[in-house]
Amino acid sequence: MSISGIMSTALSGMRAQTTRVGAIANNIANSSTPGYATLNTSLTSVETGGVQAVVSPTASDVDPAAELIDLIEAEQSYKANAVVFETGADMWEVLMSIKRD
């Protein structure tokens, strides 16, 4: 896999986690709304590499504890993808400095 492919995969992971956090925030904000359908985020791999977040409503009630656990998991996943992206950017920088020399 190329450096740009690795960075693209990490970027898709960050986007997916951003979508996931949005669904979690929506669930927490509407937890006391009667008849609210909890949003569930599922992650699927993309044929070209990376991941995609799909948000769908479920018929369950909002569990604030479960939402906070999901939020922590999404935060850690986002951070991991950000580190991979930054590493790829650093590798590009090293390659460009070698090319210039």
Side-chain angles (χ1 to χ4, degrees):
M1 181 176 273
S2 67
I3 295 173
S4 62
I6 292 168
M7 292 175 68
S8 176
T9 299
L11 185 60
S12 75
M14 288 188 288
R15 285 185 183 139
Q17 295 307 324
T18 300
T19 300
R20 185 177 175 195
V21 168
I24 292 168
N26 201 12
N27 288 340
I28 292 171
N30 291 296
S31 62
S32 61
T33 303
Y36 175 74
T38 302
L39 298 177
N40 184 29
T41 307
S42 58
L43 304 176
T44 57
S45 61
V46 179
E47 189 174 305
T48 57
V51 66
Q52 178 181 7
V54 178
V55 178
S56 58
T58 61
S60 63
D61 291 334
V62 176
D63 179 10
E67 296 297 328
L68 289 176
I69 291 169
D70 286 347
L71 184 60
I72 292 167
E73 184 180 306
E75 176 190 15
Q76 294 299 317
S77 297
Y78 186 94
K79 285 181 181 179
N81 280 296
V83 168
V84 170
F85 187 86
E86 289 173 2
T87 302
D90 290 345
M91 291 174 73
W92 271 117
E93 187 177 319
V94 168
L95 287 173
M96 290 299 115
S97 70
I98 291 171
K99 185 178 179 182
R100 281 183 249 142
D101 292 342

PDB file of all heavy atoms in Angstrom, residues 3 6-7 9-11 13-14 75-91:
ATOM      1  N   ILE A   3       1.831   5.362   0.558  1.00  0.00           N
ATOM      2  CA  ILE A   3       1.670   6.303   1.666  1.00  0.00           C
ATOM      3  C   ILE A   3       0.346   7.048   1.524  1.00  0.00           C
ATOM      4  O   ILE A   3      -0.387   7.227   2.501  1.00  0.00           O
ATOM      5  CB  ILE A   3       2.848   7.289   1.735  1.00  0.00           C
ATOM      6  CG1 ILE A   3       4.140   6.543   2.059  1.00  0.00           C
ATOM      7  CG2 ILE A   3       2.592   8.361   2.788  1.00  0.00           C
ATOM      8  CD1 ILE A   3       5.385   7.397   1.989  1.00  0.00           C
ATOM      9  N   ILE A   6      -2.461   4.827   2.631  1.00  0.00           N
ATOM     10  CA  ILE A   6      -2.520   4.720   4.094  1.00  0.00           C
ATOM     11  C   ILE A   6      -3.171   5.966   4.681  1.00  0.00           C
ATOM     12  O   ILE A   6      -4.035   5.883   5.559  1.00  0.00           O
ATOM     13  CB  ILE A   6      -1.104   4.507   4.671  1.00  0.00           C
ATOM     14  CG1 ILE A   6      -0.579   3.131   4.268  1.00  0.00           C
ATOM     15  CG2 ILE A   6      -1.098   4.669   6.181  1.00  0.00           C
ATOM     16  CD1 ILE A   6       0.891   2.921   4.540  1.00  0.00           C
ATOM     17  N   MET A   7      -2.776   7.130   4.163  1.00  0.00           N
ATOM     18  CA  MET A   7      -3.358   8.372   4.662  1.00  0.00           C
ATOM     19  C   MET A   7      -4.844   8.463   4.331  1.00  0.00           C
ATOM     20  O   MET A   7      -5.640   8.936   5.142  1.00  0.00           O
ATOM     21  CB  MET A   7      -2.595   9.572   4.102  1.00  0.00           C
ATOM     22  CG  MET A   7      -1.174   9.678   4.642  1.00  0.00           C
ATOM     23  SD  MET A   7      -0.216  10.997   3.886  1.00  0.00           S
ATOM     24  CE  MET A   7      -1.072  12.433   4.510  1.00  0.00           C
ATOM     25  N   THR A   9      -6.894   5.913   3.999  1.00  0.00           N
ATOM     26  CA  THR A   9      -7.581   4.978   4.891  1.00  0.00           C
ATOM     27  C   THR A   9      -7.752   5.593   6.270  1.00  0.00           C
ATOM     28  O   THR A   9      -8.824   5.508   6.885  1.00  0.00           O
ATOM     29  CB  THR A   9      -6.796   3.659   4.988  1.00  0.00           C
ATOM     30  OG1 THR A   9      -6.716   3.073   3.679  1.00  0.00           O
ATOM     31  CG2 THR A   9      -7.459   2.683   5.932  1.00  0.00           C
ATOM     32  N   ALA A  10      -6.715   6.238   6.779  1.00  0.00           N
ATOM     33  CA  ALA A  10      -6.797   6.898   8.084  1.00  0.00           C
ATOM     34  C   ALA A  10      -7.815   8.035   8.055  1.00  0.00           C
ATOM     35  O   ALA A  10      -8.588   8.206   9.009  1.00  0.00           O
ATOM     36  CB  ALA A  10      -5.427   7.414   8.504  1.00  0.00           C
ATOM     37  N   LEU A  11      -7.852   8.778   6.971  1.00  0.00           N
ATOM     38  CA  LEU A  11      -8.810   9.870   6.837  1.00  0.00           C
ATOM     39  C   LEU A  11     -10.244   9.346   6.832  1.00  0.00           C
ATOM     40  O   LEU A  11     -11.127   9.921   7.471  1.00  0.00           O
ATOM     41  CB  LEU A  11      -8.527  10.672   5.566  1.00  0.00           C
ATOM     42  CG  LEU A  11      -9.371  11.918   5.342  1.00  0.00           C
ATOM     43  CD1 LEU A  11      -9.184  12.900   6.490  1.00  0.00           C
ATOM     44  CD2 LEU A  11      -8.995  12.558   4.022  1.00  0.00           C
ATOM     45  N   GLY A  13     -11.232   6.685   8.298  1.00  0.00           N
ATOM     46  CA  GLY A  13     -11.495   6.287   9.676  1.00  0.00           C
ATOM     47  C   GLY A  13     -11.867   7.477  10.547  1.00  0.00           C
ATOM     48  O   GLY A  13     -12.776   7.392  11.378  1.00  0.00           O
ATOM     49  N   MET A  14     -11.179   8.600  10.350  1.00  0.00           N
ATOM     50  CA  MET A  14     -11.506   9.804  11.118  1.00  0.00           C
ATOM     51  C   MET A  14     -12.897  10.316  10.754  1.00  0.00           C
ATOM     52  O   MET A  14     -13.671  10.718  11.628  1.00  0.00           O
ATOM     53  CB  MET A  14     -10.454  10.892  10.895  1.00  0.00           C
ATOM     54  CG  MET A  14      -9.125  10.583  11.563  1.00  0.00           C
ATOM     55  SD  MET A  14      -7.934  11.944  11.517  1.00  0.00           S
ATOM     56  CE  MET A  14      -7.454  11.941   9.796  1.00  0.00           C
ATOM     57  N   GLU A  75     -13.564   8.246  20.365  1.00  0.00           N
ATOM     58  CA  GLU A  75     -12.455   9.175  20.575  1.00  0.00           C
ATOM     59  C   GLU A  75     -11.114   8.473  20.398  1.00  0.00           C
ATOM     60  O   GLU A  75     -10.212   8.984  19.709  1.00  0.00           O
ATOM     61  CB  GLU A  75     -12.528   9.781  21.979  1.00  0.00           C
ATOM     62  CG  GLU A  75     -11.358  10.680  22.307  1.00  0.00           C
ATOM     63  CD  GLU A  75     -11.307  11.092  23.773  1.00  0.00           C
ATOM     64  OE1 GLU A  75     -11.997  10.490  24.607  1.00  0.00           O
ATOM     65  OE2 GLU A  75     -10.549  12.022  24.061  1.00  0.00           O
ATOM     66  N   GLN A  76     -10.968   7.294  20.986  1.00  0.00           N
ATOM     67  CA  GLN A  76      -9.715   6.544  20.872  1.00  0.00           C
ATOM     68  C   GLN A  76      -9.459   6.116  19.424  1.00  0.00           C
ATOM     69  O   GLN A  76      -8.319   6.170  18.954  1.00  0.00           O
ATOM     70  CB  GLN A  76      -9.741   5.324  21.802  1.00  0.00           C
ATOM     71  CG  GLN A  76      -9.771   5.687  23.273  1.00  0.00           C
ATOM     72  CD  GLN A  76      -8.558   6.487  23.696  1.00  0.00           C
ATOM     73  OE1 GLN A  76      -7.439   6.184  23.322  1.00  0.00           O
ATOM     74  NE2 GLN A  76      -8.787   7.533  24.463  1.00  0.00           N
ATOM     75  N   SER A  77     -10.507   5.706  18.737  1.00  0.00           N
ATOM     76  CA  SER A  77     -10.362   5.309  17.336  1.00  0.00           C
ATOM     77  C   SER A  77      -9.961   6.497  16.468  1.00  0.00           C
ATOM     78  O   SER A  77      -9.130   6.362  15.566  1.00  0.00           O
ATOM     79  CB  SER A  77     -11.671   4.706  16.818  1.00  0.00           C
ATOM     80  OG  SER A  77     -11.985   3.535  17.522  1.00  0.00           O
ATOM     81  N   TYR A  78     -10.566   7.648  16.739  1.00  0.00           N
ATOM     82  CA  TYR A  78     -10.209   8.852  15.990  1.00  0.00           C
ATOM     83  C   TYR A  78      -8.739   9.198  16.215  1.00  0.00           C
ATOM     84  O   TYR A  78      -8.013   9.497  15.263  1.00  0.00           O
ATOM     85  CB  TYR A  78     -11.101  10.023  16.402  1.00  0.00           C
ATOM     86  CG  TYR A  78     -10.885  11.258  15.558  1.00  0.00           C
ATOM     87  CD1 TYR A  78     -11.681  11.496  14.451  1.00  0.00           C
ATOM     88  CD2 TYR A  78      -9.884  12.176  15.862  1.00  0.00           C
ATOM     89  CE1 TYR A  78     -11.485  12.617  13.664  1.00  0.00           C
ATOM     90  CE2 TYR A  78      -9.679  13.293  15.080  1.00  0.00           C
ATOM     91  CZ  TYR A  78     -10.480  13.514  13.979  1.00  0.00           C
ATOM     92  OH  TYR A  78     -10.274  14.621  13.195  1.00  0.00           O
ATOM     93  N   LYS A  79      -8.315   9.159  17.473  1.00  0.00           N
ATOM     94  CA  LYS A  79      -6.922   9.477  17.796  1.00  0.00           C
ATOM     95  C   LYS A  79      -5.958   8.514  17.103  1.00  0.00           C
ATOM     96  O   LYS A  79      -4.905   8.933  16.603  1.00  0.00           O
ATOM     97  CB  LYS A  79      -6.698   9.434  19.305  1.00  0.00           C
ATOM     98  CG  LYS A  79      -7.250  10.616  20.045  1.00  0.00           C
ATOM     99  CD  LYS A  79      -6.970  10.498  21.533  1.00  0.00           C
ATOM    100  CE  LYS A  79      -7.529  11.662  22.312  1.00  0.00           C
ATOM    101  NZ  LYS A  79      -7.268  11.519  23.767  1.00  0.00           N
ATOM    102  N   ALA A  80      -6.289   7.234  17.082  1.00  0.00           N
ATOM    103  CA  ALA A  80      -5.426   6.248  16.433  1.00  0.00           C
ATOM    104  C   ALA A  80      -5.299   6.543  14.937  1.00  0.00           C
ATOM    105  O   ALA A  80      -4.200   6.489  14.369  1.00  0.00           O
ATOM    106  CB  ALA A  80      -5.965   4.840  16.656  1.00  0.00           C
ATOM    107  N   ASN A  81      -6.417   6.861  14.299  1.00  0.00           N
ATOM    108  CA  ASN A  81      -6.377   7.199  12.877  1.00  0.00           C
ATOM    109  C   ASN A  81      -5.606   8.492  12.632  1.00  0.00           C
ATOM    110  O   ASN A  81      -4.898   8.616  11.635  1.00  0.00           O
ATOM    111  CB  ASN A  81      -7.803   7.315  12.324  1.00  0.00           C
ATOM    112  CG  ASN A  81      -8.413   5.982  12.030  1.00  0.00           C
ATOM    113  OD1 ASN A  81      -7.943   5.247  11.169  1.00  0.00           O
ATOM    114  ND2 ASN A  81      -9.455   5.642  12.764  1.00  0.00           N
ATOM    115  N   ALA A  82      -5.729   9.453  13.544  1.00  0.00           N
ATOM    116  CA  ALA A  82      -4.995  10.716  13.404  1.00  0.00           C
ATOM    117  C   ALA A  82      -3.489  10.480  13.490  1.00  0.00           C
ATOM    118  O   ALA A  82      -2.719  11.096  12.740  1.00  0.00           O
ATOM    119  CB  ALA A  82      -5.444  11.714  14.472  1.00  0.00           C
ATOM    120  N   VAL A  83      -3.071   9.590  14.370  1.00  0.00           N
ATOM    121  CA  VAL A  83      -1.643   9.272  14.488  1.00  0.00           C
ATOM    122  C   VAL A  83      -1.131   8.637  13.198  1.00  0.00           C
ATOM    123  O   VAL A  83      -0.046   8.976  12.707  1.00  0.00           O
ATOM    124  CB  VAL A  83      -1.381   8.358  15.707  1.00  0.00           C
ATOM    125  CG1 VAL A  83       0.016   7.786  15.675  1.00  0.00           C
ATOM    126  CG2 VAL A  83      -1.616   9.121  16.999  1.00  0.00           C
ATOM    127  N   VAL A  84      -1.910   7.729  12.627  1.00  0.00           N
ATOM    128  CA  VAL A  84      -1.516   7.105  11.359  1.00  0.00           C
ATOM    129  C   VAL A  84      -1.415   8.162  10.261  1.00  0.00           C
ATOM    130  O   VAL A  84      -0.461   8.172   9.478  1.00  0.00           O
ATOM    131  CB  VAL A  84      -2.510   5.981  10.966  1.00  0.00           C
ATOM    132  CG1 VAL A  84      -2.255   5.489   9.554  1.00  0.00           C
ATOM    133  CG2 VAL A  84      -2.432   4.826  11.953  1.00  0.00           C
ATOM    134  N   PHE A  85      -2.394   9.058  10.206  1.00  0.00           N
ATOM    135  CA  PHE A  85      -2.374  10.112   9.197  1.00  0.00           C
ATOM    136  C   PHE A  85      -1.148  10.998   9.361  1.00  0.00           C
ATOM    137  O   PHE A  85      -0.464  11.321   8.384  1.00  0.00           O
ATOM    138  CB  PHE A  85      -3.655  10.945   9.281  1.00  0.00           C
ATOM    139  CG  PHE A  85      -3.798  11.946   8.175  1.00  0.00           C
ATOM    140  CD1 PHE A  85      -4.352  11.581   6.963  1.00  0.00           C
ATOM    141  CD2 PHE A  85      -3.349  13.249   8.338  1.00  0.00           C
ATOM    142  CE1 PHE A  85      -4.476  12.489   5.927  1.00  0.00           C
ATOM    143  CE2 PHE A  85      -3.462  14.171   7.314  1.00  0.00           C
ATOM    144  CZ  PHE A  85      -4.019  13.789   6.109  1.00  0.00           C
ATOM    145  N   GLU A  86      -0.851  11.407  10.601  1.00  0.00           N
ATOM    146  CA  GLU A  86       0.311  12.257  10.860  1.00  0.00           C
ATOM    147  C   GLU A  86       1.617  11.544  10.510  1.00  0.00           C
ATOM    148  O   GLU A  86       2.543  12.167   9.989  1.00  0.00           O
ATOM    149  CB  GLU A  86       0.330  12.691  12.326  1.00  0.00           C
ATOM    150  CG  GLU A  86      -0.743  13.692  12.665  1.00  0.00           C
ATOM    151  CD  GLU A  86      -0.819  13.996  14.149  1.00  0.00           C
ATOM    152  OE1 GLU A  86      -0.022  13.460  14.935  1.00  0.00           O
ATOM    153  OE2 GLU A  86      -1.703  14.780  14.521  1.00  0.00           O
ATOM    154  N   THR A  87       1.682  10.257  10.773  1.00  0.00           N
ATOM    155  CA  THR A  87       2.876   9.481  10.420  1.00  0.00           C
ATOM    156  C   THR A  87       3.059   9.461   8.906  1.00  0.00           C
ATOM    157  O   THR A  87       4.175   9.624   8.403  1.00  0.00           O
ATOM    158  CB  THR A  87       2.785   8.059  10.983  1.00  0.00           C
ATOM    159  OG1 THR A  87       2.631   8.130  12.397  1.00  0.00           O
ATOM    160  CG2 THR A  87       4.018   7.250  10.637  1.00  0.00           C
ATOM    161  N   GLY A  88       1.957   9.277   8.178  1.00  0.00           N
ATOM    162  CA  GLY A  88       2.027   9.322   6.719  1.00  0.00           C
ATOM    163  C   GLY A  88       2.492  10.672   6.217  1.00  0.00           C
ATOM    164  O   GLY A  88       3.312  10.761   5.293  1.00  0.00           O
ATOM    165  N   ALA A  89       1.991  11.740   6.835  1.00  0.00           N
ATOM    166  CA  ALA A  89       2.421  13.091   6.446  1.00  0.00           C
ATOM    167  C   ALA A  89       3.901  13.296   6.729  1.00  0.00           C
ATOM    168  O   ALA A  89       4.616  13.898   5.920  1.00  0.00           O
ATOM    169  CB  ALA A  89       1.585  14.134   7.189  1.00  0.00           C
ATOM    170  N   ASP A  90       4.369  12.778   7.863  1.00  0.00           N
ATOM    171  CA  ASP A  90       5.799  12.878   8.179  1.00  0.00           C
ATOM    172  C   ASP A  90       6.636  12.104   7.168  1.00  0.00           C
ATOM    173  O   ASP A  90       7.723  12.561   6.772  1.00  0.00           O
ATOM    174  CB  ASP A  90       6.074  12.339   9.591  1.00  0.00           C
ATOM    175  CG  ASP A  90       5.514  13.232  10.681  1.00  0.00           C
ATOM    176  OD1 ASP A  90       5.170  14.392  10.387  1.00  0.00           O
ATOM    177  OD2 ASP A  90       5.403  12.744  11.831  1.00  0.00           O
ATOM    178  N   MET A  91       6.150  10.946   6.739  1.00  0.00           N
ATOM    179  CA  MET A  91       6.883  10.152   5.748  1.00  0.00           C
ATOM    180  C   MET A  91       6.961  10.903   4.422  1.00  0.00           C
ATOM    181  O   MET A  91       8.003  10.891   3.758  1.00  0.00           O
ATOM    182  CB  MET A  91       6.219   8.793   5.572  1.00  0.00           C
ATOM    183  CG  MET A  91       6.363   7.896   6.793  1.00  0.00           C
ATOM    184  SD  MET A  91       5.428   6.368   6.661  1.00  0.00           S
ATOM    185  CE  MET A  91       6.419   5.479   5.467  1.00  0.00           C
TER     186      MET A  91
END
